[in-house]
Amino acid sequence: MDYTAVRTLLTGDETCNSIISGHLVDGDAKRTKVLAVVSHQNQAALFVLESSGIPGNSNSHLSLDQTLPIRKQFQCSLRRAKSPSNLLDMDTVVDITADSGKQLVFELPSTTEMAQFLSVLQKAVFHSQKSDAQASFSWLDKYHGSQSSERRVDPPVGNLLDLDMPGTAPPPLTDTPLAFFAGQSGTATVGPSNVMATVSEEHTAGQWPWSEITARLPGGQTPVAGPTLPGSGTTGSGQALTLPAKKSIIADRLLDGSSTLCSGTISSGGDGAYVKYTVPQKPKQRRRDSSFVSLELKKRELEYTEVKPHKIFCGTWNVNGKPVTEGLHDWLGADADPPDIYAVGFQELDLSAEALLLNDSSREDEWQRQVELALHKRGKYYKLRSMRLVGMFLIVCAHEKLKHFITDVQAVAQGTGILGLMGNKGGVSIRFNLHNTSICFVNSHLAAHIEEVERRNQDYNDICNKVQFINSQSILEHDIVVWMGDLNYRLVPTGQRPESKLKEMAQMGMFEELLQHDQLIQQVKCHSVFQGFSEGAINFKPTYKYDPGTDNWDSSEKARPPAWCDRILWKVSAGSIVDLQGYRCHPSLKLSDHKPVSARFDVGIKVVDKTQRAVVLSDVHQRLDKIENETKPVVSLNTLDVVYKDVKFGDVQTEELIVRNTGQSHVDFAFKPRPELDSVCKKWLLLKPVNGFIAPGTSTSIAYSSF
């Protein structure tokens, strides 16, 4: 669609980011509209425009109907149409709820443009969640005078088919108006006045065109073909109407490349009204290069995914081997909104010899119970996975509403302690896929003591390099990585700022000055660790070292200086969205010599549109077909027979075989012996050359010499 007509309506510093044409649904009435996402500085709004002609061709065809500010209360959700006016293209419904409470329903065509439009809209909605709910959208005021009061009502469409599947066939999917599995058939009852000839081929195992559509109505009734099918019309009693094959955008979704959506007849009869569908068996697909397909789908995932906001809470605490003596609600459950995902890491959960040598501890169950009790009261959670290595314990909990969207959950532990193997130091990691976004949480406890900075760096690199999940995926190969734990990087005293001065500065809240001495920040700047990771601004007191049970700095004989040992960092791949909403310490929990730390994130999770993914998948297969055909070796021979005439003892006869490369890629050839033979030919025959290379459009000669 042409952006020019929309842009000419804009009068300020606004930008039209994406547009699409669709239908505004108001009861039985449907009106053609053009939707545009328009941005102004850090705000965005949805413009609804009236189309009085061919949308987008010129300014004269568009007038502004209304503007909807995309504020914090703005909501957008998708669903498949149950009663679309035309199942061949208008089959996606977008429900909009404005901040005023006004609700609008739009039908949009399932196209690549729709996916791009919704991706832009969802990103605008995602970023609006961080804005002030009462923010002024004064830049929209100048458009209110140009809003059109014109209303155009399209005639209502006829009744659609009410599916009734026979026998024990599985029910249709909720996102598909009509669906049958391969080789099955069913009937659908229609109203007595009219019938719409429609087609829908989607289900979970693959997609195929319908091969037959036949409708019979009671005598005297007038069947009406689907209003958008070419060649549609009406017939009298006893006559037949043929529906021609129609190619439309849905044809691109068919895995077998077919463009025929429907072919059959509508005719009248006296034995009731029904529509019969017969679906051919699934076409056999040859084995594909799955790595190529996966890579192409990954590259094009923006075409079939939309970003939806989710909340993640991460927490880390070195509990110094102490048993549970206080609740964790002030740490895990005190925020206003419940998270969708919890990832909670502990270090030094158990310092006993049994834990170190046998990796067995009763403390795990105690702390897990306390975590589960402290989760947000407004959410209902289940344990997704936990993993413990000696004193390191990581537990991930998810909201129950996500249970069916989380897949491929794995956990791996890696020790880096004594001899580089023992689990007193190291890391535990848990990964999973949420919709189409891969997430990995890491909880680590790195080498201690202020002088062991290089050892800490080595521990980090060992965990990164040695942790491999079942699919050979490493930690850093995820869309979102959150790394937490007692990283043990310290504040380095200097001559001008000895340990006593560091404590004084920490007590006075001179965090910016203190962070100049932070080993982790120094090592990141030196590109030694955590490359590509981010960390929030530290506006809280150092988390180590305290006298247990108090907020007093270490008063023991060692009198260790304060440090931010306990940290949470994150890393995102290109195209992923992670916004930090809070990074803080929780000093009210006092049982340990460390204070717990938490980080709250708003993340964009890529949710798959199955219909649009099928479109992309079909295109990928077609591209792979083209590549395979173009790269397939093709040769021609000047003869298929090598004939020697009047062969005499001692004479050498040579015949020539010319091999020409008639394909588009190079050809490597070689003569190889059969498994049961030692050589490629008899001893009285000499082949030269026995292997070689032929460039496209060239030929080579192979000599057959007998002697």
Side-chain angles (χ1 to χ4, degrees):
M1 181 177 291
D2 186 9
Y3 281 65
T4 304
V6 178
R7 287 170 178 159
T8 55
L9 292 175
L10 304 181
T11 60
D13 297 328
E14 289 79 47
T15 300
C16 179
N17 302 106
S18 187
I19 59 177
I20 195 170
S21 178
H23 288 159
L24 174 62
V25 181
D26 185 8
D28 291 333
K30 298 172 189 269
R31 296 189 295 273
T32 300
K33 298 289 183 180
V34 173
L35 305 183
V37 178
V38 177
S39 61
H40 175 84
Q41 297 180 359
N42 62 343
Q43 294 181 332
L46 181 66
F47 280 39
V48 182
L49 303 122
E50 190 85 11
S51 174
S52 58
I54 302 175
N57 280 0
S58 68
N59 189 25
S60 62
H61 293 129
L62 293 177
S63 59
L64 185 60
D65 182 40
Q66 54 187 304
T67 60
L68 304 176
I70 302 179
R71 288 193 177 96
K72 194 169 186 177
Q73 300 90 340
F74 187 99
Q75 295 180 1
C76 172
S77 61
L78 302 182
R79 55 187 169 88
R80 294 296 303 273
K82 293 182 179 179
S83 301
S85 60
N86 174 15
L87 289 177
L88 293 177
D89 40 42
M90 294 291 180
D91 59 351
T92 299
V93 176
V94 181
D95 294 303
I96 300 291
T97 302
D99 61 341
S100 62
K102 183 177 183 179
Q103 295 183 334
L104 299 175
V105 179
F106 295 95
E107 283 182 0
L108 300 180
S110 293
T111 64
T112 301
E113 288 75 14
M114 181 204 71
Q116 294 171 344
F117 174 83
L118 293 178
S119 176
V120 172
L121 179 60
Q122 290 287 4
K123 288 181 181 178
V125 173
F126 180 84
H127 287 292
S128 72
Q129 304 305 306
K130 301 178 292 181
S131 64
D132 183 0
Q134 304 302 320
S136 171
F137 278 71
S138 58
W139 59 276
L140 293 177
D141 294 343
K142 57 181 175 285
Y143 295 105
H144 292 168
S146 64
Q147 289 183 0
S148 171
S149 60
E150 177 183 339
R151 293 291 181 266
R152 189 170 63 255
V153 179
D154 293 336
V157 299
N159 297 332
L160 290 178
L161 307 179
D162 182 19
L163 186 66
D164 176 24
M165 299 194 68
T168 59
L173 302 184
T174 57
D175 64 347
T176 306
L178 300 170
F180 294 93
F181 286 81
Q184 296 176 343
S185 62
T187 61
T189 303
V190 299
S193 60
N194 56 53
V195 60
M196 209 180 245
T198 59
V199 61
S200 174
E201 75 292 330
E202 178 176 297
H203 58 77
T204 57
Q207 299 173 333
W208 306 282
W210 304 108
S211 64
E212 180 186 341
I213 297 180
T214 303
R216 287 187 289 177
L217 296 175
Q221 298 296 331
T222 302
V224 180
T228 59
L229 292 174
S232 61
T234 62
T235 66
S237 177
Q239 298 178 354
L241 171 67
T242 298
L243 297 179
K246 172 178 170 59
K247 183 175 182 179
S248 76
I249 190 160
I250 293 184
D252 295 333
R253 304 178 193 173
L254 307 181
L255 296 182
D256 62 355
S258 171
S259 62
T260 300
L261 292 184
C262 58
S263 179
T265 61
I266 296 180
S267 59
S268 60
D271 53 352
Y274 65 90
V275 178
K276 180 180 180 181
Y277 298 90
T278 302
V279 185
Q281 293 291 336
K282 178 179 177 181
K284 293 183 178 179
Q285 298 287 330
R286 63 178 179 272
R287 295 190 63 181
R288 290 295 197 182
D289 183 347
S290 59
S291 59
F292 173 88
V293 174
S294 298
L295 180 61
E296 287 298 304
L297 285 176
K298 183 67 176 177
K299 286 165 55 178
R300 298 177 59 180
E301 67 179 358
L302 287 179
E303 298 180 33
Y304 60 87
T305 60
E306 54 180 315
V307 177
K308 291 190 176 181
H310 290 67
K311 297 182 182 297
I312 293 180
F313 177 99
C314 296
T316 178
W317 192 12
N318 183 322
V319 296
N320 195 28
K322 298 293 194 296
V324 183
T325 58
E326 54 187 332
L328 308 180
H329 181 267
D330 290 347
W331 175 32
L332 304 180
D335 294 316
D337 298 320
D340 297 299
I341 300 286
Y342 275 98
V344 183
F346 296 95
Q347 306 83 44
E348 296 189 1
L349 193 76
D350 193 335
L351 300 178
S352 67
E354 290 83 0
L356 177 62
L357 298 177
L358 303 177
N359 196 26
D360 185 24
S361 174
S362 61
R363 297 276 175 85
E364 178 179 341
D365 292 337
E366 297 176 14
W367 282 100
Q368 178 173 313
R369 281 195 297 271
Q370 285 300 315
V371 168
E372 293 170 347
L373 289 172
L375 300 181
H376 205 288
K377 301 305 180 185
R378 286 171 48 202
K380 191 173 182 180
Y381 300 93
Y382 71 101
K383 187 180 84 168
L384 182 65
R385 187 68 183 270
S386 65
M387 170 63 75
R388 185 178 61 83
L389 177 64
V390 188
M392 289 169 286
F393 179 55
L394 175 62
I395 178 173
V396 177
C397 298
H399 199 287
E400 284 202 343
K401 66 183 180 182
L402 302 178
K403 182 174 291 186
H404 299 296
F405 306 108
I406 295 179
T407 58
D408 196 14
V409 182
Q410 300 179 45
V412 175
Q414 178 62 50
T416 63
I418 301 169
L419 300 177
L421 298 172
M422 294 295 287
N424 58 314
K425 294 293 187 288
V428 291
S429 54
I430 295 175
R431 63 91 54 216
F432 57 91
N433 296 330
L434 176 54
H435 290 287
N436 212 50
T437 298
S438 59
I439 301 175
C440 183
F441 295 113
V442 183
N443 172 35
S444 68
H445 192 188
L446 307 185
H449 306 302
I450 191 170
E451 68 277 4
E452 294 291 347
V453 61
E454 292 298 331
R455 179 60 188 277
R456 284 189 278 279
N457 294 351
Q458 185 62 48
D459 287 351
Y460 162 80
N461 286 297
D462 283 348
I463 295 170
C464 284
N465 295 330
K466 293 180 180 180
V467 170
Q468 294 286 326
F469 297 99
I470 293 175
N471 55 359
S472 299
Q473 190 175 23
S474 68
I475 289 174
L476 302 183
E477 292 175 334
H478 290 77
D479 294 322
I480 298 173
V481 179
V482 181
W483 196 304
M484 68 193 84
D486 180 0
L487 306 186
N488 255 325
Y489 288 95
R490 309 300 177 92
L491 296 176
V492 182
T494 63
Q496 295 181 339
R497 291 176 176 173
E499 294 180 2
S500 58
K501 181 65 174 177
L502 295 182
K503 287 185 178 181
E504 181 181 339
M505 294 171 64
Q507 199 63 32
M508 295 173 62
M510 300 173 64
F511 303 146
E512 186 174 351
E513 293 83 353
L514 273 178
L515 287 169
Q516 298 175 10
H517 300 264
D518 183 75
Q519 288 179 332
L520 178 55
I521 293 177
Q522 293 170 357
Q523 294 304 305
V524 170
K525 288 181 178 179
C526 294
H527 306 288
S528 299
V529 291
F530 290 104
Q531 289 306 292
F533 279 81
S534 302
E535 185 181 23
I538 297 178
N539 297 312
F540 48 84
K541 291 170 65 175
T543 59
Y544 174 85
K545 176 176 172 106
Y546 295 86
D547 290 336
T550 75
D551 291 324
N552 303 324
W553 300 117
D554 181 24
S555 61
S556 67
E557 183 179 350
K558 295 181 180 179
R560 291 189 176 91
W564 283 283
C565 291
D566 309 279
R567 312 286 272 268
I568 301 176
L569 302 93
W570 74 93
K571 187 179 190 297
V572 297
S573 65
S576 299
I577 303 174
V578 173
D579 288 337
L580 179 68
Q581 298 300 305
Y583 189 32
R584 55 185 174 169
C585 175
H586 301 265
S588 62
L589 280 73
K590 306 179 188 295
L591 68 82
S592 173
D593 55 354
H594 292 250
K595 300 295 185 184
V597 173
S598 70
R600 293 179 294 110
F601 301 99
D602 280 350
V603 302
I605 299 299
K606 293 170 285 190
V607 180
V608 173
D609 180 331
K610 293 181 180 179
T611 300
Q612 191 59 31
R613 184 182 183 276
V615 175
V616 175
L617 180 61
S618 175
D619 183 63
V620 169
H621 279 287
Q622 292 175 11
R623 289 185 55 203
L624 184 55
D625 279 337
K626 183 178 179 181
I627 292 173
E628 290 175 347
N629 291 333
E630 290 179 349
T631 58
K632 184 183 298 182
V634 181
V635 298
S636 65
L637 305 176
N638 66 326
T639 180
L640 298 179
D641 300 306
V642 178
V643 180
Y644 295 102
K645 297 180 180 180
D646 301 325
V647 178
K648 297 180 180 180
F649 180 78
D651 289 344
V652 177
Q653 286 194 25
T654 300
E655 298 293 337
E656 189 176 56
L657 178 66
I658 298 176
V659 184
R660 174 170 292 277
N661 184 352
T662 58
Q664 301 182 42
S665 61
H666 75 266
V667 172
D668 294 301
F669 72 90
F671 291 94
K672 295 184 177 181
R674 289 159 55 181
E676 68 273 14
L677 300 178
D678 296 330
S679 60
V680 298
C681 60
K682 299 294 185 179
K683 294 181 179 180
W684 49 267
L685 186 63
L686 177 65
L687 302 179
K688 188 176 182 180
V690 294
N691 55 63
F693 167 87
I694 311 174
T698 65
S699 61
T700 190
S701 175
I702 302 175
Y704 290 75
S705 299
S706 65
F707 54 90

